[in-house]
Amino acid sequence: MSNIEAAPKEMICEQGPHGEGAAARTPEILEPRDVPLDGIRAMNVRRTLPQRGRSLIGAWCFLDHYGPDDVSETGGMRVARHPHTGLQTLSWLFSGGIDHLDSAGFAATVRPGEMNLMTAGRGITHSEFSTADTTVLHGAQLWIALPDHARHMPPTFESHRPEPVTRDGAAVSVFIGSLLGSISPVTAHTPIVGAEMTLWPGATLRLTNDEGLASSFEYGVLLDRGSVSVNGTSIGQDQLAYLAPGQEEVTIEAGESGARVLLIGGEPFGEKIVMWWNFVGREHDEIVAYRSQYQHEIGREDATEQGSPHWIAGERFGPFPDGQPAPLPAPVMPISRLKPRT
Ligand code: MN
């Protein structure tokens, strides 16, 4: 999915501060914010990553949670061809279906329980439209920053339908990385994990180092529905509970209506990234060149950055199948150049 903000800001994302000792067991609560949508789309999107003070959890750099939306009211997801660089996009649905088409030659339909992972590498364009049979659309869009050694790789696409693992009154679907003995075969370029967990009413799921909880990872738990507490702290709807590295055990306890959560985690990323609209790079000039090359390839603007070292010969974002809706133009970049935090 595209970052659908009308006027996205450029952000520097970096590893955040970690709590220490006993304090680290208590989660830091990250509040969701409603994404200001560009007029025509009525989808209800709540964003918990990136945010001021906490922009990365491992390599996870973006988390949008949307729906459940009645598509007869919202029109569903209609995101025409748009670009990405330097990241992987991960789609996970609770309800509905999304048709994906990309410039690396892949076409796929995302369905609940089946993860789609698109690796943008040096550059890709894709479109996403909810399927005609979707009545309720509900899911999450997550982005994973690629480390420097992988971010210029050719684009590719993978999908995986994890077999849920049942433990302590919970069903856990590990879509990337490994946990509870379940290993996802999709390609992660840094040590990370992502899973959906459905807990029965009153269930307590204990994740321990022996069962795959990594003490070197930081973690985030997003509440999708029901009620839940993480290490004894209760989490509200759409809040993301952040846990610093050093966890020996993480306890997720459902309330009397049960709960469904997403767990993300990873080793602190250690690289500073620059993110704007749908692009991830390492410096502002790179983002400017990506934007210029995309606008040029879709016939919107002259190739103003063609002399830039960040311009690549030939197509970065194509080719794309004919007969598709017109590509999304890139928003205007903010005038002021972002200064790195000191
Ligand atoms: Mn996208």
Side-chain angles (χ1 to χ4, degrees), residues 178-332:
S178 66
L179 190 66
L180 297 173
S182 176
I183 302 170
S184 168
V186 303
T187 311
H189 296 272
T190 53
I192 60 169
V193 69
E196 178 196 282
M197 302 177 162
T198 302
L199 285 82
W200 275 245
T204 300
L205 176 64
R206 285 192 176 78
L207 303 170
T208 62
N209 295 156
D210 286 345
E211 297 221 275
L213 183 83
S215 59
S216 60
F217 280 20
E218 48 189 352
Y219 286 97
V221 179
L222 179 82
L223 178 60
D224 166 57
R225 72 159 189 228
S227 59
V228 82
S229 67
V230 175
N231 286 351
T233 298
S234 140
I235 308 303
Q237 176 71 38
D238 276 312
Q239 287 181 333
L240 181 64
Y242 169 79
L243 291 163
Q247 304 295 323
E248 292 173 0
E249 180 179 301
V250 170
T251 304
I252 301 175
E253 186 175 0
E256 57 189 27
S257 57
R260 185 166 62 195
V261 302
L262 289 180
L263 174 86
I264 59 173
E267 280 188 9
F269 190 57
E271 293 180 42
K272 196 182 282 190
I273 64 173
V274 175
M275 187 154 88
W276 178 78
W277 191 39
N278 295 312
F279 301 126
V280 168
R282 293 297 181 277
E283 50 183 286
H284 175 81
D285 290 353
E286 255 183 352
I287 306 292
V288 172
Y290 295 158
R291 181 189 181 283
S292 174
Q293 186 157 6
Y294 172 67
Q295 291 288 86
H296 176 64
E297 288 183 23
I298 64 169
R300 283 275 181 164
E301 285 175 21
D302 291 338
T304 51
E305 301 291 322
Q306 193 146 22
S308 159
H310 306 297
W311 189 282
I312 59 172
E315 284 182 303
R316 186 188 281 278
F317 297 109
F320 206 74
D322 291 333
Q324 298 299 314
L328 299 180
V332 174

Side-chain angles (χ1 to χ4, degrees), residues 1-3 79 82-84 89 118 126 128 141 143 278:
M1 192 162 130
S2 179
N3 179 354
V79 185
H82 61 278
H84 290 284
T89 65
M118 183 184 78
H126 73 145
E128 290 164 295
Q141 169 79 11
W143 296 355
N278 295 312

Side-chain angles (χ1 to χ4, degrees), residues 98-116:
I98 298 171
D99 285 327
H100 159 100
L101 189 63
D102 71 43
S103 60
F106 296 92
T109 301
V110 196
R111 293 286 180 189
E114 181 165 358
M115 182 218 49
N116 277 13

